[in-house]
Amino acid sequence: MTEKIAVISGATGGIGAAVAKRLGQEGYTLILNGRDREKGLALVSQLQSDKVTAEFAAFDITNESEVNQSLQEIGEKYGHIDCVINNAGGLGGRSPIESMSTEFYRSVMALNMDSAFYLSRAAIPYLKKSDYGAIINNTSNAAWNGGGPGAGIYGVSKAAVHAFTRALAKELAPYGIRVNAVSPGTIDTPFHEQIKATKPEVFASWKNNILLNRLGQPEEVASVIAFLVSKDASFITAETIQIGGGQALGI
Ligand code: NAD
């Protein structure tokens, strides 16, 4: 059987690490991107002790030449890539639009949108060599509701990722490559570390806006991603799946 190769960006923690563990269980060879070498190598050795083949690819997802060089190395080493999980992203801070610096605006767009563009573009030649190529983008509930306080540009960047998913799905359909997105609601990961530490009562209240009355766990996003890259999802493309326990209804 041909080795199944998965590339996951921002894989060293939160949802990315949960996706790595899940796809590892599904038999994928994992290329785990991140910037923190210590965390990356710790995850690799944890996965290896569970008999998963994994390697760490240290690069900054917002750096075009680093992404291109790394993907070329991965592509040449394995000959093909079966799935790319554009997971890296984040708020990058908070700022109201009125007083937002252009630098901040660009950094948030770079982290969430440029990253998905750079990694997908560099991976396409190798995805075309797969019998079953798939790209999964990680957008957000913020793409629908415009983001929380000071996170408007985060919402804008994720809305761009949502449209990017559809655009890429159209372009890659002739090659049998499916492109889908997940749109998590509030998931309990280091993403919310600051507010959890500084305003625990606010953090605790978030569940009141969620139909299922709790936050999501990273594994609950990973399981949907595992489905979307699998043959069970063979007729699904250009789709964005909300994973928010009903949060999108805005109760
Ligand atoms: P997280 O902060 O734990 O994970 C983000 C990951 O991206 C980290 O591993 C971080 O190191 C990595 N990263 C950041 N900048 C990077 C860069 N320049 N190069 C490479 N890697 C970089 O948060 P998470 O909740 O696991 O978030 C994963 C994805 O899910 C993000 O795209 C986030 O926007 C999205 N998301 C999260 C939530 C949530 O509530 N947690 C909700 C909706 C969407």
Side-chain angles (χ1 to χ4, degrees), residues 10 15 35 60-61 87 89 111 138-139 154 158 184-185 187 189 192:
I15 294 170
R35 294 163 303 171
D60 177 347
I61 195 73
N87 168 74
L111 177 54
N138 204 334
T139 172
Y154 173 70
K158 290 297 194 182
I187 311 296
T189 71
H192 304 293

Side-chain angles (χ1 to χ4, degrees), residues 8 11-28 30 32 42-44 46-47 50 52 54 218-219 222 226:
I8 307 169
T12 55
I15 294 170
V19 174
K21 287 175 195 160
R22 180 63 195 252
L23 293 187
Q25 286 165 10
E26 310 276 341
Y28 281 86
L30 306 173
L32 307 176
L43 179 61
V44 165
Q46 193 189 336
L47 286 159
D50 291 330
V52 173
E219 294 73 21

Side-chain angles (χ1 to χ4, degrees), residues 84-87 116-117 120 135-139 158 161-162 164-166 168 179-184 225 240:
V84 171
I85 317 299
N86 283 311
N87 168 74
F117 164 58
S120 304
I135 295 177
I136 309 295
N137 297 323
N138 204 334
T139 172
K158 290 297 194 182
V161 172
H162 174 65
F164 180 65
T165 302
R166 293 179 165 186
L168 204 52
V179 186
N180 291 294
V182 291
S183 173
I225 291 177
T240 296

Side-chain angles (χ1 to χ4, degrees), residues 35 59-70 110-111 114-115 118-119 121:
R35 294 163 303 171
F59 59 87
D60 177 347
I61 195 73
T62 65
N63 184 315
E64 183 177 10
S65 56
E66 284 185 25
V67 174
N68 286 342
Q69 190 189 330
S70 203
L111 177 54
D114 296 8
S115 58
Y118 292 155
L119 190 58
R121 182 181 59 180

